[in-house]
Amino acid sequence: AQSVTQLDSQVPVFEEAPVELRCNYSSSVSVYLFWYVQYPNQGLQLLLKYLSGSTLVKGINGFEAEFNKSQTSFHLRKPSVHISDTAEYFCACLRTNTGFQKLVFGTGTRLLVSP
Amino acid sequence: GAGVSQTPSNKVTEKGKYVELRCDPISGHTALYWYRQSLGQGPEFLIYFQGTGAADDSGLPNDRFFAVRPEGSVSTLKIQRTERGDSAVYLCASSLGLDRYETQYFGPGTRLLVL
């Protein structure tokens, strides 16, 4: 079954530095991948998604992710982070063995941006 | 417009009690999802509604959990004989219901604590 793994539980970074949050997926069939962000006391918000086509996906708030089939990865990147990017980030895949949109989430990565 | 709303935002109950958690989806969204997020984990799928019917309830952990959506809008997640292990944040999401790849919009969640 499809799944995703986020190896980093927490990533500390200084403001204006670049950041990469790692996500690896496991699937033998077509994959559909998502990144969501969760700010404190707020709901999950979609940052970007990969369904097909270009492997470089641009999202909101300056984030982008690259789908890499050979490395089974979908890492999230931002060239320069802000304090306001401090949040929990979740990678997710779409379980496709049903006709429905069942998202399978990773365990999350907490991004901590300090001045 | 208004996003997905969930009430209550916090619920404290005692072991063995019955609780109801409410979700009000975005107007016009026919698809509605419930997820459960335990501490330090990503959200886990519980149940999916298309209209009034539960199209997929494979994520409900046992028969103490039940959800309804009688008029195809508001949904209620019901938990009987609560256990301490039910403590988690319960997230609701909705989407248009037209396309399996469409974005799910999440509410802020209900934090349930079972003492």
Side-chain angles (χ1 to χ4, degrees):
Chain A
Q2 297 93 335
S3 67
V4 292
T5 302
Q6 294 180 254
L7 292 174
D8 304 309
S9 60
Q10 188 165 292
V11 173
V13 64
F14 289 110
E15 192 175 19
E16 298 182 6
V19 71
E20 178 180 84
L21 305 183
R22 297 183 294 169
C23 174
N24 287 88
Y25 67 89
S26 171
S27 175
S28 59
V29 296
S30 299
V31 290
Y32 307 96
L33 297 162
F34 305 77
W35 275 100
Y36 278 84
V37 60
Q38 187 175 36
Y39 298 104
N41 300 317
Q42 294 187 30
L44 291 154
Q45 181 182 7
L46 180 68
L47 279 175
L48 48 80
K49 62 183 175 184
Y50 171 78
L51 303 180
S52 65
S54 174
T55 56
L56 182 62
V57 182
K58 293 193 181 296
I60 62 171
N61 301 341
F63 284 94
E64 63 181 32
E66 185 162 17
F67 173 70
N68 188 319
K69 189 173 182 179
S70 63
Q71 297 187 6
T72 61
S73 68
F74 189 57
H75 301 333
L76 182 70
R77 301 186 181 101
K78 186 169 183 178
S80 175
V81 295
H82 302 291
I83 297 286
S84 60
D85 291 323
T86 294
E88 189 90 22
Y89 292 80
F90 292 95
C91 181
C93 66
L94 185 65
R95 181 152 287 171
T96 55
N97 61 341
T98 72
F100 312 114
Q101 189 185 22
K102 182 187 296 185
L103 288 170
V104 178
F105 287 87
T107 52
T109 297
R110 184 169 298 277
L111 176 64
L112 295 170
V113 183
S114 53
Chain B
V4 178
S5 61
Q6 294 185 246
T7 54
S9 53
N10 291 279
K11 176 71 177 177
V12 181
T13 190
E14 294 179 344
K15 181 174 177 294
K17 299 290 188 182
Y18 168 83
V19 296
E20 289 189 352
L21 311 179
R22 176 189 167 107
C23 172
D24 209 330
I26 293 172
S27 178
H29 281 192
T30 62
L32 185 146
Y33 315 79
W34 283 99
Y35 293 84
R36 179 169 72 172
Q37 186 176 13
S38 301
L39 195 62
Q41 301 295 316
E44 293 179 299
F45 170 83
L46 295 177
I47 187 170
Y48 158 71
F49 286 91
Q50 180 59 43
T52 60
D56 184 349
D57 64 357
S58 61
L60 295 178
N62 51 60
D63 61 6
R64 295 187 297 105
F65 288 75
F66 189 71
V68 296
R69 194 185 185 199
E71 297 179 358
S73 178
V74 171
S75 176
T76 304
L77 179 65
K78 307 180 180 192
I79 311 175
Q80 298 177 323
R81 305 183 303 281
T82 51
E83 300 177 356
R84 291 193 180 88
D86 298 334
S87 296
V89 177
Y90 289 82
L91 298 169
C92 177
S94 70
S95 67
L96 285 168
L98 301 176
D99 179 339
R100 64 189 301 205
Y101 311 114
E102 63 197 18
T103 299
Q104 294 184 22
Y105 296 87
F106 283 79
T110 293
R111 189 174 300 274
L112 175 66
L113 178 61
V114 182
L115 301 176

